[in-house]
Amino acid sequence: MSYTNEDGAMLTADGQPLKRSLATALRRQKIRALLLISPLLIFVLITFLFPIGSMLFRSVENHIVAEILPDTVVALATWDGKSGELPDESIYAAFAGDIQRAAITKSHTRVGLRLNYEKSGSASLFKKTARQAKKWDLETDAPFKEKLIAAHKGWGEVEIWQTLKTHSSRYTAGYFLNAVDMRKTQDGPEFQPENRQILIKLFQRTLIMSLLITLACITLGYPVAWLLANLPRRQSNLLMILVLLPFWTSLLVRTSAWKVMLQQQGVINDILVALGMVEETGRLIMINNQFGTIVAMTHILLPFMILPMYSVMQTIQPTYLQAAKSLGATNWTAFWRVYFPQSVPGIGAGSILVFILSIGYYITPEIVGGNKGVFISNRIAYHIFQSMNWGLAAALGTILLAIVLILYWAYDKVVGIDNVKLGG
Amino acid sequence: MKSKTSENDAFVTFDRVQKSYDGLSLVVKDLNLSMPRGEFLTMLGPSGSGKTTCLMMLAGFETATHGDIMLDGTSINNIPPHKRGIGMVFQNYALFPHMTVAENLAFPLEVRKIGKSEREAKVKRALEMVQMGDFGGRRPAQLSGGQQQRVALARALVFEAELVLMDEPLGALDKQLREHMQFEIKRIAENLGITVVYVTHDQTEALTMSDRVAVFNDGRIQQLAPPAELYESPQNSFVAQFIGENNTLDGLVKEISNGMALVQLDDGKMINCNPVNVTKAGERTRVSIRPERVEFSKDRMEPGAHTLTAEVLEFIYMGDMFRTRLRVAGNDNFIVKTRNAPNQVQLEPGAHVEIGWLPSDCRALDA
Ligand SMILES: Nc1ncnc2c1ncn2[C@@H]1O[C@H](COP(=O)(O)OP(=O)(O)OP(=O)(O)O)[C@@H](O)[C@H]1O
Ligand SMILES: [Mg+2]
């Protein structure tokens, strides 16, 4: 009896191709596995994928103008914004109809707010106009050009119409342009005026400070992880508790504690003054600046560096060091040539973790960062809670996500993601 | 052993060495040992008997609590491990996983600041010596256990250490590979003329490889002797039990005369023994007889030798050997091994037979 068919493919005893029966056998296992993880899958879908998806979408979505001022958008399509002339009566009439309907449904504030991101003053312009527009009779009160300009002289200027036209498309790259300190104009993208360029600087600062925090964590965490992995059991358990202690304390409490420590009338300054190392008048400014943010965040993120390092170091057997020494290496050579290279995957894992956590960090920079020490996430929060510019917040978030992914990819290219170990 | 000349000839000496880890109990108690240059010495003993501890003290990874360890006449107690120049093969090989085989071998040469061309030549020679010449570019993880073992051996030898320590180097290999590597290690050690201290659990390994074997138990050397002597003339019950198979009978010494002890076994029977560890009448003793030294036929025993009656309990056919379990003087586990020869008797369970032996094979040891 032969177990291969004419193509040379393997067959099972009953003549089925081996591949197919294997696939059938594996399918049931797969379905069972899928059922087991389905609660988690659904949870992740609802709490993670949908929010992220909706955020990504929000960063390009721009339906407000087209939805609330539909006739105006259609009419504006025929108008040449670059001519520098005001639109003609038909466009004013279309707008009058739109603004009246919007005023009745009270949706005019949304357009006002939306256009306010692009041109300040738009919000009040829409509010005032809508109040007037409610009283108009669309049939008899024409022409609307004079009426609108009378309602608010803004309608007599070309800019507002240009802004309306530029931001009337349903999807826009405008938020992304804003996120990198540019703006959309009728002549295409151009840089924001000097005094409004802050986001690129913030991105840079976030990246550089995250890098510094990661380096500080490596420097401080490595010896601790080494001790954890090499001390006798009882002492290392105690040390482990100390390392984990911060996890059991509220983040807010820890950050506030740093405020107490670092402020000008705080513990550290008091001690330095008492020791005579610093003049009473020259107390150090260690908080509400970048220094404060780096110190507090290094402290808070340190366990995320120590734990992966520790779990990798734990797997490095002491016999490697003994072997190196028996081969003639000094303590330092044995460490540097034999121990350290084997601990690099732990450093890699810890660094990725700390870096990614830190570029998205919010609470600590908010509390101890002052003006100079805030991160891009604080700006995102500002746009969500205060300026209500969710589109820009979403674009910033998307860029942050992209940076993380690019860095992750670059790390994989340079170091190799296989070199990241969280233990084992 | 303690004479002036042998003291001077000794390459490795342990002089009244003691070791305690916790300050409460001694793990090594009064260890005295001296090895001439070129000797292959094996430390054999049950788990926890202190073998690794001795090796670690010699390598410098543990310090002796008391006593001196001397290498080539000078005390090495205060010399750090990396200056001792002792090669070491670890049980788990301890090959550096992030380096290739060749880099592993070059490591001891690099730290000794040996030039590149000389280094490469030495690495090549060492790899060829263990028949791994083609594997220089591989990582340890890409090698089989036996191959890793060879590389570890080559690495311990490449910097021309005169003394090489091996802690259960073959522990992780299967039986066939073990036997092959035992032979390889022995051959290489002989060719290079190096001194080897070898640690193992496995008595066959110890007996086949060594010039001398030190049997450890409870932190002491129980007996230090060449393999044949160890097997033929164990000095105490522990060694007799630990090396090879052994039958024991407990009894009381009745009389010692003409280098012969008369022992009354606990069931009243009398036998003649070789007094090894007993000195006077009235002492309790444990008599030891090797299973292959027991005879069934009267004509192969010494004239006038005492014999015992035994009941056959079990007969096991083992191919080249027959193994018979007997009840002798109340001991149900008395084993006799006989060669599968054409005229050999095969005993049926239930049968009663007379057994005996040469009194010199029957050793009266400590109880
Ligand atoms: N670092 C240590 N700290 C405390 N006790 C130790 C240490 N190393 C070994 N011991 C104890 O010393 C005794 C001897 O250990 P050692 O490792 O020398 O035994 P061994 O003969 O090599 O055993 P094995 O055959 O199992 O390897 C054991 O009881 C062990 O528990
Ligand atoms: Mg051991």
Side-chain angles (χ1 to χ4, degrees):
Chain A
M1 183 160 56
S2 153
Y3 289 121
T4 52
N5 65 10
E6 59 277 16
D7 310 334
M10 292 294 282
L11 299 179
T12 57
D14 58 3
Q16 293 275 337
L18 192 55
K19 266 196 180 155
R20 197 189 311 151
S21 18
L22 185 65
T24 327
L26 288 180
R27 191 173 315 133
R28 289 178 61 190
Q29 279 183 18
K30 273 186 202 156
I31 290 173
R32 203 163 50 197
L34 208 65
L35 281 177
L36 280 174
I37 61 160
S38 59
L40 177 65
L41 214 60
I42 292 166
F43 179 78
V44 167
L45 211 65
I46 294 174
T47 60
F48 188 72
L49 290 182
F50 283 157
I52 293 232
S54 104
M55 180 196 81
L56 290 176
F57 183 60
R58 227 173 244 283
S59 63
V60 292
E61 183 195 36
N62 186 40
H63 62 93
I64 292 178
V65 176
E67 205 173 276
I68 298 175
L69 308 173
D71 294 349
T72 318
V73 171
V74 173
L76 273 174
T78 55
W79 177 63
D80 178 12
K82 290 180 193 146
S83 65
E85 285 169 25
L86 283 175
D88 56 27
E89 170 60 22
S90 67
I91 292 174
Y92 278 94
F95 179 75
D98 283 337
I99 191 79
Q100 191 179 54
R101 280 187 291 278
I104 291 162
T105 58
K106 294 203 166 58
S107 53
H108 63 278
T109 49
R110 287 172 60 208
V111 203
L113 195 62
R114 169 68 190 90
L115 291 176
N116 207 48
Y117 307 150
E118 315 299 339
K119 185 178 186 312
S120 44
S122 305
S124 71
L125 169 67
F126 271 79
K127 223 178 266 168
K128 275 191 188 147
T129 315
R131 219 177 292 138
Q132 303 276 330
K134 270 197 244 176
K135 301 174 214 147
W136 295 336
D137 182 336
L138 293 179
E139 303 298 320
T140 57
D141 283 354
F144 286 101
K145 190 166 183 171
E146 286 78 36
K147 272 210 137 57
L148 273 163
I149 294 172
H152 195 290
K153 63 178 188 325
W155 296 114
E157 289 158 18
V158 193
E159 286 96 79
I160 185 67
W161 295 105
Q162 284 170 342
T163 313
L164 251 176
K165 187 177 160 79
T166 316
H167 297 281
S168 62
S169 59
R170 284 196 154 264
Y171 297 99
T172 178
Y175 293 123
F176 278 101
L177 289 173
N178 288 351
V180 294
D181 286 338
M182 295 173 81
R183 65 178 174 191
K184 197 171 165 185
T185 65
Q186 55 170 349
D187 306 318
E190 63 182 40
F191 274 101
Q192 300 269 28
E194 207 66 35
N195 60 354
R196 293 193 60 182
Q197 292 190 14
I198 50 163
L199 293 171
I200 288 193
K201 228 186 287 170
L202 258 182
F203 268 118
Q204 276 170 357
R205 184 200 291 166
T206 305
L207 291 178
I208 290 171
M209 284 178 58
S210 297
L211 201 66
L212 287 175
I213 289 163
T214 309
L215 289 177
C217 281
I218 294 175
T219 323
L220 296 176
Y222 197 92
V224 179
W226 189 85
L227 280 179
L228 270 177
N230 290 287
L231 279 181
R233 176 120 250 139
R234 277 183 49 183
Q235 279 140 309
S236 73
N237 279 346
L238 192 69
L239 189 58
M240 183 56 109
I241 290 174
L242 292 180
V243 168
L244 292 179
L245 207 56
F247 279 138
W248 305 332
T249 337
S250 147
L251 176 63
L252 215 54
V253 171
R254 274 179 287 155
T255 308
S256 313
W258 277 112
K259 216 164 175 135
V260 176
M261 295 288 290
L262 295 175
Q263 62 193 332
Q264 274 194 292
Q265 300 303 322
V267 180
I268 292 179
N269 266 315
D270 284 351
I271 290 174
L272 289 178
V273 170
L275 291 176
M277 292 166 78
V278 175
E279 291 290 311
E280 179 62 49
T281 48
R283 284 175 173 253
L284 302 175
I285 303 170
M286 293 183 290
I287 201 154
N288 294 334
N289 57 14
Q290 303 192 355
F291 180 81
T293 305
I294 290 176
V295 169
M297 280 187 59
T298 302
H299 168 244
I300 283 160
L301 294 175
L302 202 52
F304 295 98
M305 182 64 84
I306 292 177
L307 291 178
M309 277 187 182
Y310 161 67
S311 62
V312 168
M313 287 183 186
Q314 214 185 11
T315 64
I316 306 176
Q317 285 157 5
T319 46
Y320 288 124
L321 278 182
Q322 291 184 344
K325 284 184 214 165
S326 83
L327 293 170
T330 58
N331 284 340
W332 169 252
T333 315
F335 166 76
W336 184 244
R337 296 277 317 273
V338 173
Y339 194 88
F340 182 76
Q342 293 187 63
S343 67
V344 164
I347 301 180
S351 301
I352 290 195
L353 210 58
V354 168
F355 189 79
I356 289 177
L357 280 175
S358 106
I359 60 176
Y361 229 68
Y362 165 69
I363 294 184
T364 307
E366 183 70 24
I367 296 178
V368 300
N371 257 338
K372 293 242 172 68
V374 295
F375 279 16
I376 195 71
S377 46
N378 302 92
R379 199 69 195 169
I380 295 178
Y382 166 79
H383 282 302
I384 287 179
F385 296 121
Q386 278 160 47
S387 80
M388 293 294 170
N389 191 349
W390 286 23
L392 179 55
L396 289 170
T398 307
I399 291 177
L400 209 53
L401 185 64
I403 291 177
V404 169
L405 291 178
I406 289 170
L407 286 173
Y408 193 76
W409 173 82
Y411 186 91
D412 184 29
K413 281 278 152 219
V414 178
V415 187
I417 225 70
D418 311 342
N419 268 332
V420 172
K421 269 204 246 165
L422 289 168
Chain B
M1 278 277 114
K2 282 263 161 141
S3 77
K4 197 90 197 139
T5 50
S6 76
E7 201 79 86
N8 288 344
D9 289 347
F11 183 49
V12 179
T13 312
F14 283 85
D15 186 17
R16 278 170 293 149
V17 171
Q18 296 185 320
K19 172 72 185 177
S20 172
Y21 283 107
D22 50 9
L24 298 173
S25 60
L26 287 173
V27 167
V28 174
K29 304 166 183 164
D30 193 33
L31 180 78
N32 291 291
L33 176 75
S34 86
M35 289 174 69
R37 213 176 269 275
E39 186 175 48
F40 196 116
L41 182 130
T42 299
M43 294 177 171
L44 175 68
S47 194
S49 56
K51 307 178 299 285
T52 300
T53 306
C54 286
L55 216 59
M56 286 300 169
M57 286 192 290
L58 188 49
F61 297 121
E62 294 290 351
T63 48
T65 314
H66 174 84
D68 270 328
I69 301 173
M70 317 232 267
L71 187 63
D72 212 4
T74 49
S75 168
I76 53 172
N77 283 13
N78 294 320
I79 300 179
H82 68 271
K83 291 201 179 135
R84 296 194 180 187
I86 297 176
M88 185 142 185
V89 180
F90 291 82
Q91 176 162 14
N92 59 0
Y93 317 135
L95 295 175
F96 306 139
H98 58 292
M99 298 185 191
T100 64
V101 167
E103 284 164 354
N104 262 283
L105 263 70
F107 184 81
L109 305 175
E110 265 171 56
V111 299
R112 286 181 172 72
K113 310 241 170 357
I114 288 173
K116 190 159 188 282
S117 55
E118 193 185 343
R119 214 159 64 203
E120 278 168 2
K122 284 190 173 183
V123 167
K124 190 159 172 286
R125 218 178 317 133
L127 278 178
E128 271 160 13
M129 180 175 69
V130 294
Q131 289 145 28
M132 292 286 293
D134 298 335
F135 293 84
R138 292 225 200 156
R139 295 274 164 136
Q142 298 167 319
L143 301 178
S144 73
Q147 291 167 335
Q148 291 183 28
Q149 173 60 57
R150 283 161 198 269
V151 175
L153 183 62
R155 191 178 67 176
L157 297 173
V158 71
F159 59 98
E160 286 152 23
E162 284 184 88
L163 175 61
V164 177
L165 314 181
M166 305 190 193
D167 192 356
E168 304 195 31
L170 306 180
L173 304 184
D174 65 51
K175 186 163 171 291
Q176 210 151 3
L177 199 54
R178 254 178 110 97
E179 281 166 8
H180 181 68
M181 285 304 297
Q182 287 169 7
F183 171 78
E184 286 286 85
I185 291 176
K186 182 77 184 146
R187 178 182 65 85
I188 290 170
E190 255 163 30
N191 285 350
L192 298 177
I194 52 174
T195 313
V196 178
V197 181
Y198 191 97
V199 167
T200 182
H201 266 106
D202 179 344
Q203 42 154 315
T204 326
E205 194 164 292
L207 295 181
T208 52
M209 295 178 81
S210 330
D211 297 327
R212 283 194 301 166
V213 179
V215 181
F216 271 67
N217 189 37
D218 194 24
R220 282 179 206 281
I221 296 185
Q222 302 289 332
Q223 187 169 356
L224 173 60
E229 192 184 323
L230 210 58
Y231 187 82
E232 305 285 343
S233 331
Q235 288 304 308
N236 57 38
S237 315
F238 177 80
V239 177
Q241 283 291 17
F242 195 72
I243 309 284
E245 220 175 344
N246 186 49
N247 293 307
T248 57
L249 299 169
D250 289 336
L252 194 68
V253 180
K254 278 284 164 199
E255 184 192 325
I256 300 181
S257 58
N258 305 333
M260 191 64 71
L262 189 64
V263 173
Q264 180 173 34
L265 298 181
D266 289 351
D267 70 339
K269 301 255 170 52
M270 303 290 258
I271 53 170
N272 291 330
C273 307
N274 175 7
V276 178
N277 242 352
V278 289
T279 47
K280 57 181 192 292
E283 269 182 278
R284 295 278 313 159
T285 183
R286 175 165 286 176
V287 175
S288 127
I289 313 113
R290 296 284 181 204
E292 67 278 11
R293 294 296 165 92
V294 178
E295 296 291 352
F296 293 111
S297 47
K298 263 267 195 262
D299 49 308
R300 283 197 233 165
M301 294 175 209
E302 200 164 293
H306 286 277
T307 59
L308 294 173
T309 328
E311 186 189 345
V312 179
L313 296 178
E314 199 178 359
F315 178 84
I316 303 162
Y317 178 84
M318 293 173 71
D320 56 340
M321 301 285 279
F322 301 148
R323 198 179 147 92
T324 317
R325 190 160 66 84
L326 307 168
R327 178 182 298 138
V328 177
N331 178 355
D332 278 356
N333 248 328
F334 198 97
I335 305 293
V336 177
K337 278 191 197 159
T338 43
R339 210 159 56 80
N340 183 357
N343 59 348
Q344 194 60 262
V345 280
Q346 297 196 11
L347 297 166
E348 292 296 324
H352 288 260
V353 289
E354 288 279 290
I355 56 166
W357 43 75
L358 293 177
S360 59
D361 287 339
C362 168
R363 301 168 64 81
L365 305 171
D366 53 311

